[in-house]
Amino acid sequence: MDKKRTIRLIAIRLLTPILMSLLMNIINAMIYQGVSFEIMLTVIVKKWPVMMILAIALSQFVVIPFANAAVKAIAKGKESKWINLINTVIVVLCMSALMTFAKQITMGVPIQQIPRVWIGRWPKNFMIAFVLQSFVVGPFVNSINARLMLHTDDQ
């Protein structure tokens, strides 16, 4: 694998789940716990590292392979903006579902309450994650990726 491809894979495959897990943890804390320095510090220092590791693992080993296979079956070799949108929807749908479930487990929600809490929180998390991915994290990671590709082209 060449250097440019390695840099691109690191930028897209690691930076996206890292940023998404950070932003989703902060937004969920603001929605469900309020905003204070103590809450934000707890979210960033104690809760985010665990969720970041889960987000990276789930995205790399479960969601991205599944989304790629689904898009390949749908696209049949064609490339278009609709295919990219479908890929984004599949990734965000799966990641928001899995991360909402993982968050309930790491928060210590009793097993019998997880389905009720998950059903209540997952649609909100999907909507927030889709907007973040489409308008904040996705463009940010793409701009970093473009700069890295320009930098590696100059060398």
Side-chain angles (χ1 to χ4, degrees):
M1 187 178 310
D2 66 344
K3 184 179 177 180
K4 287 189 280 187
R5 178 141 172 86
T6 303
I7 291 171
R8 185 168 188 235
L9 284 174
I10 290 170
I12 291 173
R13 290 196 169 190
L14 292 180
L15 192 55
T16 299
I18 289 169
L19 291 175
M20 285 296 289
S21 64
L22 176 64
L23 292 172
M24 288 300 293
N25 270 290
I26 290 171
I27 290 170
N28 277 318
M30 290 167 53
I31 290 170
Y32 298 111
Q33 297 172 313
V35 179
S36 74
F37 179 74
E38 184 179 326
I39 290 170
M40 291 301 122
L41 188 63
T42 300
V43 165
I44 293 170
V45 173
K46 292 182 180 176
K47 296 180 181 179
W48 174 56
V50 172
M51 297 309 288
M52 176 187 64
I53 291 167
L54 283 170
I56 290 169
L58 286 172
S59 68
Q60 295 303 302
F61 302 115
V62 179
V63 175
I64 290 175
F66 173 74
N68 288 342
V71 167
K72 188 176 181 180
I74 294 168
K76 297 180 179 141
K78 298 175 186 171
E79 186 67 31
S80 76
K81 290 189 184 246
W82 291 109
I83 299 301
N84 292 334
L85 177 64
I86 290 168
N87 187 43
T88 299
V89 169
I90 291 170
V91 167
V92 173
L93 190 69
C94 294
M95 283 300 292
S96 62
L98 292 170
M99 291 303 291
T100 301
F101 181 72
K103 183 74 171 183
Q104 302 314 304
I105 291 172
T106 60
M107 285 176 46
V109 174
I111 298 292
Q112 64 272 22
Q113 291 181 8
I114 287 178
R116 181 184 57 81
V117 174
W118 183 84
I119 288 170
R121 290 190 177 180
W122 175 60
K124 292 179 217 168
N125 285 342
F126 170 73
M127 290 184 284
I128 294 166
F130 185 75
V131 169
L132 280 176
Q133 178 61 34
S134 298
F135 300 110
V136 179
V137 175
F140 178 73
V141 170
N142 287 340
S143 70
I144 288 176
N145 187 33
R147 288 183 182 144
L148 288 173
M149 295 305 284
L150 287 174
H151 179 71
T152 55
D153 286 343
D154 292 341
Q155 294 177 345

